[in-house]
Amino acid sequence: KAGVTQTPRYLIKTRGQQVTLSCSPISGHRSVSWYQQTPGQGLQFLFEYFSETQRNKGNFPGRFSGRQFSNSRSEMNVSTLELGDSALYLCASSTGLNEKLFFGSGTQLSVL
Amino acid sequence: DQQVKQNSPSLSVQEGRISILNCDYTNSMFDYFLWYKKYPAEGPTFLISISSIKDKNEDGRFTVFLNKSAKHLSLHIVPSQPGDSAVYFCAPYPPTSGTYKYIFGTGTRLKVLA
């Protein structure tokens, strides 16, 4: 069974640009959630999608958005990038009916 | 409002000895607690969990203890091995998932010295 796949693995952007990250969940998983990891900040919850609907959202500005497709694949978009958006972005999938998350390897975003 | 705290950002332990990682939480509604382990440049992986109806759960070298009255849990690794060197996150979970904003502690970086 394939794991959670995130693309791209690394990304370098400049301030003001926008970026789209992709996440393919484990087959059969209907929930995809996104997290930002920065040094010393742990994992900060961005949002969660279940069956194409955003079920919950963390405390991030509106520049951070996401969506989920009918095949459960999800994308996360960050517009008007700021230097502070440099981070490891992780997505996780689950059945949506229990608590265990399966994470991808993440996308390392650097904003210059 | 930090609902989950891992007050030790880092911990160094000699190989073969016990590693104890702590986690404190404030919300008594949390029903289930998970520990994840994260290596550099990889996503976290599930390690062990405990339900609030138990006070201990063991899986091989890993044991998690839960003290509900103190809102405290700890992860024990015995014996510690160099491959255990990673960042460990504590993650509580409520009884219903519908509107949950997943919360993770800030993590404890464990270094096991050979």
Side-chain angles (χ1 to χ4, degrees), chain B residues 6 19 24 47 54 79 90-91 97:
Chain B
Q6 293 178 253
S19 296
D24 296 293
L47 181 62
K54 295 185 174 182
C90 160
S97 65

Side-chain angles (χ1 to χ4, degrees), chain A residues 17-85:
Chain A
Q17 288 187 308
Q18 68 95 25
V19 66
T20 299
L21 312 180
S22 180
C23 174
S24 293
I26 290 172
S27 177
H29 283 189
R30 295 163 65 188
S31 168
V32 174
S33 50
W34 289 87
Y35 304 84
Q36 181 194 67
Q37 185 187 18
T38 52
Q41 291 296 314
L43 296 168
Q44 302 292 316
F45 172 74
L46 281 153
F47 29 66
E48 187 227 358
Y49 287 86
F50 181 82
S51 294
E52 301 180 67
T53 300
Q54 188 179 85
R55 199 159 62 165
N56 215 336
K57 190 176 188 303
N59 300 321
F60 278 81
R63 301 185 297 107
F64 292 81
S65 63
R67 58 179 175 166
Q68 187 180 34
F69 302 95
S70 58
N71 61 358
S72 292
R73 190 178 71 85
S74 178
E75 287 182 348
M76 188 190 95
N77 186 76
V78 188
S79 62
T80 320
L81 283 165
E82 300 176 0
L83 295 178
D85 296 334

Side-chain angles (χ1 to χ4, degrees), chain A residues 93-110:
Chain A
S93 77
S94 74
T95 61
L97 303 176
N98 63 41
E99 56 290 325
K100 193 189 234 181
L101 300 175
F102 296 83
F103 285 86
S105 296
T107 294
Q108 184 67 54
L109 172 65
S110 297

